[in-house]
């Protein structure tokens, strides 16, 4: 045994491999070691118990893994599965099934992640995006397929992004084999970044594979083109005609057109969200309070057309009743809003072929483009559109001169004029 050091002396340095000294544990556990030394936490979820948090540093207290208080993601508000027509389902049943088929750790992470999102519309969008990624994973052959969602690597995510941009997706898309638009792929990659960041923060993944996977650059101008000024006027006329048979549908589209809001903002509106307030100007204003995409509440005044069509729908109704619903009592969805817009367009005189291609988000683009055309300050348009970044607002702006006055048209007109002029003709 080594004698203790005398006063004022330093203790001798221990030998590296002293057989009489026990080995000390490493300060950092190797990847995966946490699973072998920490028992599973809590009661079993779908398919069994949860593994312990991954990547724990020695001596640090283990953080509790995520534990969803539901049995299926279909029990989360806004995500009830649609199995057959008229069953009040809000999302595709196969999207719920793909998430519910995950291993327990991944399932609890996905379920609690979805619950943490601020609005039902965001939950639906992110659920569909994650389901689409799982569908792609299932198409991979054995040597490329990860062992599970939490075993996904950066290379898998890069390969998924490449397949989406180059038309190699066969499942989880509307048109198999067709390249997805850059902004669509960007939304999907953003969804996956959100999930894996959450899983890493909650210690069910020992790394974040999406940290360095960037969404593809999106064009400065979006692909959602506005209605022409004539078409917008025709839709307004059509809404008054539609109100005779479908007053709720007419009022809903009038709100979308008059406020430039997203169709998802209308889904959960109740009668109590519509209130009459007296403004600083001393006038009475019919207002709507709805939840934005980011989860914030906002109070907006309703323009005249929306006020005229909406007021008759408020009489004698409970404040908690859904403002808009389908005939069978189910909440409306974007397809219901699209059908109402197309019907109003045809009633107002828009040709049937053109009306069939309209969808609600075009009203948002029309709202923003019209505001810019009137010379309204960009920061005011941004605030009205509820965008965090002015660049997003500018993507919706499609002034006529960017198409009708394009350089290509000007050059073509000049060449045509040159061709039509006869040799030697000096007339002006």
């Amino acid at each position: 045994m080594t004698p203790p050091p005398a006063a004022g002396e330093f203790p001798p340095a221990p030998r590296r491999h002293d057989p009489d000294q026990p080995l000390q544990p490493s300060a950092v556990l190797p990847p995966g070691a946490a699973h072998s030394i920490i028992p599973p936490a809590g009661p079993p979820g779908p398919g069994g118990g949860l593994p312990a948090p991954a990547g724990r540093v020695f001596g640090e207290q283990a953080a509790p893994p995520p534990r969803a208080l539901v049995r299926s993601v279909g029990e989360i508000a806004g995500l009830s599965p649609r199995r057959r027509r008229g069953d009040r389902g809000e999302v595709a049943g196969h999207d719920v099934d793909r998430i519910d088929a995950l291993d327990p750790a991944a399932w609890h992470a996905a379920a609690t992640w979805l619950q943490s999102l601020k609005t039902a519309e965001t939950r639906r969008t992110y659920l569909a995006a994650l389901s689409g990624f799982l569908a792609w994973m299932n198409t991979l052959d054995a040597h490329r397929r990860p062992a599970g969602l939490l075993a996904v690597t950066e290379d898998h995510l890069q390969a998924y992004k490449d397949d989406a941009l180059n038309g190699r997706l066969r499942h989880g898309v509307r048109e198999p084999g067709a390249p997805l638009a850059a902004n669509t792929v960007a939304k999907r990659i953003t969804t996956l970044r959100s999930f894996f960041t959450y899983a890493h923060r909650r210690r069910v993944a020992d790394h974040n594979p999406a940290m360095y996977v960037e969404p593809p650059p999106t064009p400065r101008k979006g692909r959602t083109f506005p209605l022409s000024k004539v078409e917008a006027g025709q839709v307004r006329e059509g809404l008054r005609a539609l109100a005779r048979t479908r007053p709720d549908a007419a009022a809903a589209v009038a709100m979308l057109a008059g406020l430039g809001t997203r169709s998802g903002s209308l889904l959960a509106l109740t009668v109590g969200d519509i209130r009459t307030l007296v403004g600083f100007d001393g006038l009475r204003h019919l207002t709507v309070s709805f939840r934005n995409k980011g989860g914030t509440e906002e109070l907006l005044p309703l323009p005249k057309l929306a006020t005229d069509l909406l007021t008759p729908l408020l009489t004698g109704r409970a404040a908690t009743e859904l403002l808009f619903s389908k005939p069978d009592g189910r909440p409306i969805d974007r397809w219901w809003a699209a059908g109402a817009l197309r019907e109003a367009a045809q009633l107002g005189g828009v040709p049937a072929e053109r009306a069939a291609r309209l969808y609600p988000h075009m009203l948002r683009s029309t709202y923003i483009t019209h505001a810019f055309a009137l010379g309204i300050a960009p920061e005011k348009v941004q605030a009205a559109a509820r965008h965090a970044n002015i660049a997003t607002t500018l993507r919706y702006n499609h002034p006529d001169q960017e198409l009708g006055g394009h350089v290509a048209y000007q050059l073509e007109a000049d060449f045509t004029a040159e061709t039509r002029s006869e040799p030697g003709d000096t007339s002006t």
Side-chain angles (χ1 to χ4, degrees):
M1 181 174 180
T2 305
E9 294 183 0
F10 291 102
R15 293 185 299 175
R16 287 187 178 276
H17 303 290
D18 189 342
D20 295 330
Q21 296 291 332
L23 292 175
Q24 297 299 317
S26 171
V28 180
L29 296 176
H35 294 283
S36 62
I37 66 172
I38 306 176
L50 285 174
R56 187 166 72 91
V57 177
F58 182 79
E60 180 184 356
Q61 185 177 2
R67 184 165 306 284
L69 303 181
V70 293
R71 294 165 296 180
S72 163
V73 295
E75 296 178 2
I76 298 173
L79 301 183
S80 59
R82 184 172 55 252
R83 304 294 183 185
R84 55 188 174 274
R85 185 181 296 275
D87 66 358
R88 295 176 177 263
E90 298 164 295
V91 297
H94 58 76
D95 287 342
V96 171
D97 294 340
R98 285 196 187 110
I99 307 301
D100 283 347
L102 292 170
D103 63 87
W107 182 85
H108 280 277
T112 52
W113 166 68
L114 288 168
Q115 285 179 309
S116 72
L117 300 175
K118 296 178 180 179
T119 65
E121 185 67 14
T122 302
R123 289 173 181 170
R124 296 183 190 111
T125 301
Y126 279 27
L127 172 76
L130 183 59
S131 172
F133 178 69
L134 293 173
W136 173 82
M137 281 176 50
N138 292 336
T139 64
L140 300 178
D141 51 40
H143 79 279
R144 295 180 61 206
R145 186 182 306 170
L149 181 59
L150 297 179
V152 165
T153 66
E154 180 180 333
D155 296 323
H156 288 116
L157 295 174
Q158 293 286 8
Y160 175 67
K161 182 174 77 171
D162 186 63
D163 285 355
L165 289 171
N166 291 284
R168 291 193 290 267
L169 297 184
R170 295 291 182 270
H171 301 279
V173 292
R174 291 183 181 179
E175 300 180 25
L180 297 182
N183 63 321
T184 300
V185 179
K187 291 176 182 177
R188 293 192 175 207
I189 295 301
T190 299
T191 296
L192 296 173
R193 284 168 63 97
S194 172
F195 170 74
F196 285 110
T197 299
Y198 178 87
H200 183 246
R201 179 174 67 82
R202 296 299 303 269
R203 304 286 185 91
V204 291
D206 56 10
H207 72 294
N208 181 358
M211 181 179 296
Y212 300 107
V213 181
E214 296 293 336
T218 56
R220 290 188 303 170
K221 294 298 178 185
R223 292 188 175 186
T224 303
F225 283 85
L227 281 66
S228 70
K229 198 168 183 179
V230 172
E231 290 174 332
Q234 291 173 317
V235 168
R236 290 174 63 88
E237 290 300 318
L239 289 174
R240 296 190 183 279
L242 181 62
R244 300 187 189 105
T245 56
R246 298 182 61 194
D248 55 343
V253 176
M255 289 180 67
L256 295 178
L259 297 175
T261 190
R262 303 173 182 87
S263 60
S265 302
L266 306 185
L267 308 188
L269 282 180
T270 64
V271 174
D273 291 324
I274 308 298
R275 291 178 291 167
T276 300
L277 300 177
V278 178
F280 185 72
D281 53 10
L283 301 177
R284 296 169 63 85
H285 301 270
L286 191 67
T287 65
V288 57
S289 177
F290 61 82
R291 207 172 189 188
N292 287 328
K293 187 177 179 182
T296 58
E297 296 285 342
E298 186 167 14
L299 184 73
L300 294 175
L302 288 163
K304 186 178 186 308
L305 178 59
T307 297
D308 291 345
L309 298 179
L310 191 59
T311 301
L313 303 179
L314 306 177
T315 305
R317 300 178 66 187
T320 56
E321 185 180 345
L322 281 176
L323 182 61
F324 303 116
S325 60
K326 296 181 179 180
D328 58 5
R330 289 182 296 156
I332 64 170
D333 49 39
R334 62 179 181 270
W335 296 282
W336 181 91
L341 169 60
R342 291 162 186 166
E343 187 174 349
Q346 289 195 59
L347 289 173
V350 177
E353 184 178 354
R354 166 65 172 163
R357 296 198 299 269
L358 302 184
Y359 51 94
H361 215 57
M362 296 175 76
L363 297 176
R364 183 165 173 79
S365 183
T366 305
Y367 178 89
I368 294 173
T369 298
H370 193 190
F372 277 116
L374 291 176
I376 298 176
E379 60 271 17
K380 287 190 175 182
V381 181
Q382 176 190 354
R386 282 81 68 192
H387 284 148
N389 193 322
I390 186 62
T392 306
T393 309
L394 293 174
R395 291 188 72 245
Y396 283 86
N397 184 28
H398 295 274
D400 293 340
Q401 59 267 26
E402 290 198 7
L403 293 178
H406 196 276
V407 172
Y409 287 156
Q410 295 181 41
L411 293 176
E412 178 68 17
D414 185 67
F415 283 128
T416 302
E418 288 287 339
T419 303
R420 290 177 179 175
S421 63
E422 296 182 4
D425 184 3
T426 59
S427 60
T428 55

